[in-house]
Amino acid sequence: MKWLEEPIWPPEDYDGLAQLRRTCGVPIAAGKNASTLMEFDRIVGAGAVNLVQPSVAKMGGVTELCKVFPILAVDCVTLMPHVFYDGRRLLAAIQVTAALGTADATIECRRFDLEAELYGGVLSTQKGRVLVPQTPGLGIDPCPNVIRSYLNV
């Protein structure tokens, strides 16, 4: 088992997470429900987790996600953005993690089959790693042909 994700209810019980972390021997991941820098500071300050999972969508975007990285770096906590989305939120998490993350930073995202690939299959993985798009902005623009095919559905 690589980690236990959000094993305590409510997810804001950081003292409970810290106690579990000290006693269970399995890395603890949490933070996908946190939305403020203060909450991430509390998670890390309590010693509650091995992996912090900020969500770019729940935090309010790229600017706020960027602010979490320095908080985590001070306490050497691994960052693993939680991305349960496709599209621009996934692209934002990839770009921020590539720019600010350490070598052990990773992204937790779900793998699923879609009816259509909004980005025309350009976003890809290689040996379990996402290839970071290299063009400006979020790295990929939606494929106009895919959008066009769904306009009259």
Side-chain angles (χ1 to χ4, degrees):
M1 178 180 299
K2 297 215 180 236
W3 67 81
L4 287 174
E5 184 172 324
E6 303 253 341
I8 301 284
W9 188 260
E12 302 81 23
D13 182 0
Y14 306 136
D15 292 332
L17 282 170
Q19 182 179 3
L20 180 63
R21 179 181 179 208
R22 286 191 301 271
T23 59
C24 82
V26 176
I28 302 297
K32 65 185 179 185
N33 292 300
S35 60
T36 67
L37 294 175
M38 188 169 66
E39 287 176 284
F40 287 103
D41 193 43
R42 288 181 52 220
I43 291 169
V44 173
V49 296
N50 303 89
L51 302 120
V52 176
Q53 300 176 286
S55 168
V56 67
K58 292 180 182 176
M59 292 191 68
V62 169
T63 300
E64 291 303 301
L65 181 59
C66 288
K67 293 176 185 177
V68 172
F69 280 79
I71 292 170
L72 302 178
V74 168
D75 290 299
C76 300
V77 176
T78 300
L79 183 97
M80 182 173 60
H82 173 78
V83 185
F84 192 71
Y85 331 98
D86 190 35
R88 65 183 187 269
R89 294 174 188 150
L90 173 59
L91 294 173
I94 290 169
Q95 292 292 346
V96 172
T97 303
L100 300 176
T102 62
D104 59 347
T106 186
I107 294 174
E108 178 201 18
C109 62
R110 65 186 182 133
R111 177 79 176 121
F112 53 92
D113 292 324
L114 298 172
E115 182 175 329
E117 291 286 335
L118 183 59
Y119 298 104
V122 175
L123 187 61
S124 61
T125 60
Q126 188 175 71
K127 296 183 181 181
R129 296 192 179 272
V130 173
L131 300 176
V132 179
Q134 298 297 307
T135 54
L138 293 177
I140 305 174
D141 289 327
C143 181
N145 294 333
V146 172
I147 295 170
R148 200 173 299 113
S149 70
Y150 284 89
L151 286 176
N152 297 319
V153 174

